[in-house]
């Protein structure tokens, strides 16, 4: 244990306690950042770090018109994504743990999580890639649920 030098205040001698939080879920941080920027009325948001799952999730959101352009920045580290917001997202989130959903349970899960049958999407990871619940039903496959947006 380091001793403080004589005649000085203890707080000056010891560095402040700085605890770095551990990132549990990169996707959760990304979606939280997007949701918060959307609530603040921002036009763009920069999300870091980057991952393949984050990019695929954002591409599903982009396909349905919930976000605008995606600009992927490769900084030779974890990477960044700049997302253009269009003001359409009410809520988006991650379902953790990613539990298995068979084809017959997709409809029930959608009615439990989404506010209406008319809008909102669940995102699944399937053997055919990451897709929304409607595409998974068209391709006649189940998978693990990743998250939702509406």
């Amino acid at each position: 244990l380091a001793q403080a030098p004589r005649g000085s205040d203890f707080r000056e001698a010891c560095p402040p306690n700085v605890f770095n939080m551990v990132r549990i879920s990169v996707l959760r941080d990304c979606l939280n950042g997007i949701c918060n920027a959307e609530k603040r009325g921002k036009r763009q948001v920069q999300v870091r770090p980057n991952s393949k799952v984050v990019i695929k999730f954002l591409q599903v959101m982009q396909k349905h018109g919930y976000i605008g352009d995606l600009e992927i920045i490769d900084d030779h580290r974890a990477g960044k994504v700049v997302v253009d917001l269009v003001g359409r997202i009410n809520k988006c989130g991650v379902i953790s743990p990613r539990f298995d959903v068979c084809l017959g349970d997709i409809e029930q899960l959608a009615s439990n999580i989404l506010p209406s049958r008319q809008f909102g999407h669940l995102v699944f990871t399937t053997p055919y890639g990451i897709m929304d619940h409607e595409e998974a039903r068209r391709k006649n496959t189940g998978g693990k649920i990743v998250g939702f947006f509406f």
Side-chain angles (χ1 to χ4, degrees), residues 58-70:
L58 293 176
Q59 284 172 345
V60 171
M61 291 175 80
Q62 185 182 30
K63 187 176 84 172
H64 292 289
Y66 280 80
I67 59 175
D69 274 346
L70 296 175

Side-chain angles (χ1 to χ4, degrees), residues 4-128:
R6 260 178 223 266
S8 72
D9 191 17
F10 181 72
R11 288 188 203 107
E12 293 172 8
C14 294
N17 288 338
V18 178
F19 295 108
N20 288 333
M21 296 296 291
V22 178
R23 264 187 218 278
I24 302 299
S25 170
V26 173
L27 182 62
R28 174 169 282 142
D29 290 349
C30 165
L31 295 182
N32 267 344
I34 289 173
C35 255
N36 290 339
E38 190 81 70
K39 286 177 189 167
R40 292 288 311 258
K42 305 284 185 190
R43 303 307 304 155
Q44 274 190 337
V45 61
Q46 183 182 31
V47 176
R48 51 170 290 271
N50 191 359
S51 75
K52 288 190 278 187
V53 175
V54 167
I55 290 176
K56 293 289 186 188
F57 196 103
L58 293 176
Q59 284 172 345
V60 171
M61 291 175 80
Q62 185 182 30
K63 187 176 84 172
H64 292 289
Y66 280 80
I67 59 175
D69 274 346
L70 296 175
E71 184 184 343
I72 300 164
I73 301 167
D74 181 24
D75 57 358
H76 300 291
R77 289 172 187 80
K80 300 174 185 168
V81 182
V82 176
V83 181
D84 290 343
L85 302 174
V86 294
R88 211 178 142 205
I89 299 172
N90 295 316
K91 190 173 182 185
C92 55
V94 174
I95 306 291
S96 180
R98 295 180 182 171
F99 55 86
D100 292 326
V101 181
C102 62
L103 183 63
D105 295 343
I106 290 177
E107 190 64 38
Q108 181 62 44
L109 191 66
S111 68
N112 288 348
I113 295 174
L114 300 176
S116 166
R117 290 182 67 154
Q118 277 78 31
F119 72 101
H121 299 277
L122 301 177
V123 180
F124 290 97
T125 175
T126 69
Y128 304 109

